[in-house]
């Protein structure tokens, strides 16, 4: 490490409180986790101040779709900077937010034709929960106040979003602050009993929802689900049938369906919206992360006309009086428009089918590894579980990965790849080879 790099590290550790981090893990000698000051990014690679590079194999927390310093998104942002950096969205509107809303509506075939904006994913989740409750209230159903989430769900870390999150590590400390929620079985296909298929697990999980709805749907506003992949739970994947069954139950029992596509939207699972694979639309979709190409904080909730109309009134208190200062920021919307342009111009969903197949083929040899369980893939997400590893596995894997030009950060014992949609075959082969090498190295240390 050069003097310059170690200077950035020590200054960061003094003044920056890093997210999702036990800061002492950066300081202790034993199991020390590296802190890497990034100097710049190009394509799928991040570079540090010493000239070392790291393949961003998890898209910088699942946000980056078309690489760092993407020339097309950069050009759009430069153009937008000279026009309008920001204007408030109450009483004012602007071209980027209008065009983005129209294009997103079109991507849902007009079903989810109203877009409400925020900045981070958790804020979009808060909005969907509040909107659902308030829409029922405006319809004279103010008893519908409860929310249902799935085991292992993750919807963000603000107080409302954390209430519908089921990850003990993030939630337990704040238990006394959170609203009680109903938690139902996850459809995670890894739970298949002998002879059961992923669809059987989906049916079992849907039956759990049915039991709850039969008991108390009159008090439930919405169920919130990460469709197809519960990412933070460790890339827990389920069959699309689950979404169809829950959609039917929601219709039958008058409960809103919120699909949180913050991580799985924007082509990540193979279709632009994950729910397209189930052939259903929810009442609310949340989007963030990839929607701005990984450039700027932008999140939004798409909803249908029926929900919108529930708020449309001469009475101000029936309106949805929620706001964030940077709601619909023009720069972020422009980055999103440039991102959607790339999807169209490069036929990205089609190209990703080939890319995902190459990734799957390159990682397939791991299926026979004695310490690998549940090698699985959905589009541009590939994951496996490491068997017989201790609690330090993730940290040690991350540290070893950085020494092998990789940015990979396992979730517990789950190693996953979620790269930008720009890797070529050579980069995919390199990623697979290095991932396997880092895995072996991390296992060897432990034994
Ligand atoms: C499914 C899902 N919902 C919500 C969030 C929260 O988004 P943010 O971190 O932008 O608040 C995340 C973040 O990882 C997520 O994966």
């Amino acid at each position: 490490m050069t003097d310059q790099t170690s200077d950035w590290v020590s200054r960061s550790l003094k003044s920056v409180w890093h997210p999702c981090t036990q800061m002492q893990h950066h300081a202790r000698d034993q199991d020390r986790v590296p802190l890497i000051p990034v100097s710049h990014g190009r394509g799928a690679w991040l570079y540090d101040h010493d000239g070392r590079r790291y393949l961003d194999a998890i898209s910088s927390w699942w946000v980056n779709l078309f690489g760092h310093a993407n020339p097309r998104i950069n050009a759009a942002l430069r153009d937008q900077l000279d026009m309008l950096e920001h204007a408030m969205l109450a009483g004012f509107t602007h071209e980027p937010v209008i065009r983005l809303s129209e294009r997103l509506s079109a991507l849902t075939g007009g079903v989810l034709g109203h877009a409400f904006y925020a900045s981070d994913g958790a804020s979009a989740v808060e909005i969907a929960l509040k909107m659902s409750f308030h829409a029922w209230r405006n319809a004279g159903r103010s008893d519908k106040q409860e929310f249902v989430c799935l085991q292992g769900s993750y919807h963000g870390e603000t107080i409302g979003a954390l209430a519908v999150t089921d990850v003990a590590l993030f939630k337990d400390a704040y238990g006394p602050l959170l609203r009680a929620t109903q938690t139902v079985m996850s459809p995670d296909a890894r739970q298949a009993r002998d002879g059961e298929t992923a669809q059987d697990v989906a049916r079992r999980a849907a039956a759990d929802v049915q039991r709850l709805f039969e008991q108390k749907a009159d008090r439930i506003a919405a169920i919130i689900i990460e469709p197809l992949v519960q990412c933070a739970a460790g890339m827990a994947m389920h069959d699309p049938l689950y979404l169809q069954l829950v959609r039917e139950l929601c219709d039958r029992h008058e409960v809103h369906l919120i699909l949180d596509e913050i991580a799985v939207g924007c082509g990540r699972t193979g279709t632009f919206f994950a729910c397209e694979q189930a052939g259903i639309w929810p009442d609310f979709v949340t989007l963030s992360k990839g929607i701005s190409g990984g450039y700027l904080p932008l999140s939004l909730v798409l909803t249908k006309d029926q929900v919108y109309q529930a708020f449309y009134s001469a009475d101000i208190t029936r309106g949805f009086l929620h706001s964030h200062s940077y709601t619909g920021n023009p720069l972020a919307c422009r980055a999103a428009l440039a991102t959607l342009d790339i999807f169209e111009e490069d036929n990205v969903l089609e190209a990703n089918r080939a890319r995902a197949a190459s990734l799957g083929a390159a990682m397939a040899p791991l299926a026979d590894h004695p310490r690998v369980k549940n090698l699985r893939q959905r589009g541009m997400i590939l994951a496996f579980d490491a068997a017989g590893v201790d609690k330090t596995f993730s940290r040690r894997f991350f540290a070893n990965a950085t020494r092998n030009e990789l940015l990979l950060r396992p979730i517990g014992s789950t190693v996953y790849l979620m790269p930008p949609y720009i890797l070529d075959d050579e980069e995919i082969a390199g990623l697979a080879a290095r991932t396997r090498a880092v895995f072996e190295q991390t296992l060897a240390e432990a034994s």
Side-chain angles (χ1 to χ4, degrees):
M1 198 190 283
T2 60
D3 288 350
Q4 195 200 6
T5 295
S6 73
D7 183 48
W8 284 125
V9 171
S10 58
R11 284 166 63 184
S12 192
L13 290 177
K14 268 196 204 114
S15 58
V16 182
W17 196 337
H18 290 268
C20 206
T21 300
Q22 170 48 269
M23 293 298 289
Q24 202 199 51
H25 288 161
H26 282 309
R28 276 198 333 215
D29 282 346
Q30 226 187 358
D31 295 338
R32 190 170 172 278
V33 177
L35 180 67
I36 297 164
V38 175
S39 128
H40 62 283
R42 289 281 178 282
W45 297 87
L46 292 168
Y47 294 83
D48 68 17
H49 291 272
D50 297 347
R52 276 192 300 263
R53 59 180 198 161
Y54 309 87
L55 184 69
D56 190 353
I58 56 169
S59 300
S60 282
W61 262 348
W62 322 340
V63 301
N64 190 288
L65 301 192
F66 300 120
H68 298 279
N70 181 287
R72 285 189 269 178
I73 303 176
N74 285 1
L77 283 175
R78 280 193 194 103
D79 182 59
Q80 186 59 40
L81 265 178
D82 286 333
M83 298 291 292
L84 177 67
E85 82 299 335
H86 185 65
M88 61 188 283
L89 202 64
F92 284 83
T93 192
H94 50 78
E95 186 177 332
V97 80
I98 297 166
R99 286 194 190 283
L100 181 59
S101 308
E102 288 172 350
R103 283 176 77 172
L104 290 170
S105 167
L107 285 170
T108 70
V111 177
L112 302 173
H114 301 276
F116 195 101
Y117 289 86
S119 315
D120 290 299
S123 320
V125 168
E126 302 272 345
I127 288 164
L129 297 175
K130 281 178 70 179
M131 246 184 207
S132 167
F133 162 76
H134 199 165
W136 287 121
R137 186 169 179 265
N138 282 352
R141 311 275 304 270
S142 43
D143 283 350
K144 283 170 127 359
Q145 301 182 356
E146 294 186 31
F147 297 105
V148 182
C149 65
L150 270 51
Q151 270 165 7
S153 57
Y154 181 90
H155 299 288
E157 318 233 9
T158 52
I159 301 277
L162 199 54
V164 290
T165 285
D166 182 46
V167 179
L169 183 64
F170 303 139
K171 187 168 186 176
D172 281 0
Y174 307 100
L177 306 183
L178 306 176
R179 251 185 96 77
T181 33
Q182 301 286 333
T183 308
V184 289
M185 178 185 161
S186 162
D188 179 359
R190 289 174 298 179
Q191 299 172 106
R193 297 173 185 147
D194 272 356
E196 259 190 342
T197 63
Q199 292 211 334
D200 294 330
V201 181
R203 282 190 199 91
R204 252 197 305 131
D208 201 29
V209 177
Q210 182 171 354
R211 266 191 298 278
L212 181 68
F213 283 8
E214 281 169 359
Q215 217 185 316
K216 57 183 319 193
D218 53 338
R219 275 176 283 150
I220 297 173
I223 179 169
I224 182 164
I225 297 171
E226 297 155 82
L228 300 187
V229 189
Q230 292 180 271
C231 296
M235 304 300 153
M237 301 186 184
H238 59 256
D239 194 278
L241 174 66
Y242 178 71
L243 302 172
Q244 291 166 1
L245 296 175
V246 174
R247 176 71 273 180
E248 282 166 27
L249 289 168
C250 286
D251 288 342
R252 196 179 326 143
H253 293 275
E254 297 187 307
V255 171
H256 286 144
L257 175 59
I258 303 172
L259 291 185
D260 178 351
E261 299 231 2
I262 287 164
V264 296
C266 302
R268 186 51 76 181
T269 65
T271 40
F272 189 83
F273 294 101
C275 63
E276 290 174 75
Q277 291 175 54
I280 59 131
W281 291 109
D283 304 291
F284 303 89
V285 153
T286 56
L287 277 185
S288 187
K289 292 192 184 275
I291 189 63
S292 72
Y295 265 66
L296 287 159
L298 179 69
S299 67
L300 58 108
V301 176
L302 294 174
T303 192
K304 56 187 191 180
D305 200 46
Q306 201 186 339
V307 169
Y308 180 76
Q309 292 302 337
F311 292 85
Y312 201 77
S313 158
D315 177 357
I316 185 163
T317 64
R318 289 177 65 91
F320 190 61
L321 306 183
H322 184 106
S323 63
H324 297 281
S325 309
Y326 283 100
T327 290
N329 173 259
L331 284 167
C333 289
R334 192 65 193 276
L337 288 168
T339 299
L340 294 182
D341 285 344
I342 297 176
F343 267 100
E344 273 176 31
E345 289 161 13
D346 295 4
N347 204 353
V348 169
L349 295 176
E350 179 76 38
N352 270 1
R353 275 192 265 286
R355 201 168 274 123
S358 300
L359 190 63
M363 293 295 285
L366 268 181
D368 298 327
H369 194 290
R371 303 282 294 276
V372 168
K373 286 192 304 185
N374 306 311
L375 181 65
R376 55 196 181 277
Q377 184 176 13
R378 173 74 67 175
M380 290 296 287
I381 307 175
L382 185 142
F384 64 87
D385 304 323
V389 294
D390 66 9
K391 281 194 169 146
T392 64
F393 173 79
S394 169
R395 267 187 279 150
R396 289 185 295 105
F397 191 104
F398 170 69
N400 288 329
T402 59
R403 289 181 209 111
N404 284 270
E405 296 194 334
L406 281 185
L407 166 46
L408 277 180
R409 228 175 108 113
I411 301 170
S413 58
T414 300
V415 179
Y416 72 93
L417 308 178
M418 208 155 158
Y421 310 159
I422 53 168
L423 296 192
D424 58 26
D425 279 346
E426 200 181 316
E427 282 169 325
I428 287 174
L431 168 60
R434 283 168 197 273
T435 304
R436 296 205 304 260
V438 171
F439 182 53
E440 295 296 359
Q441 202 178 333
T442 311
L443 291 178
E445 281 170 0
S447 57

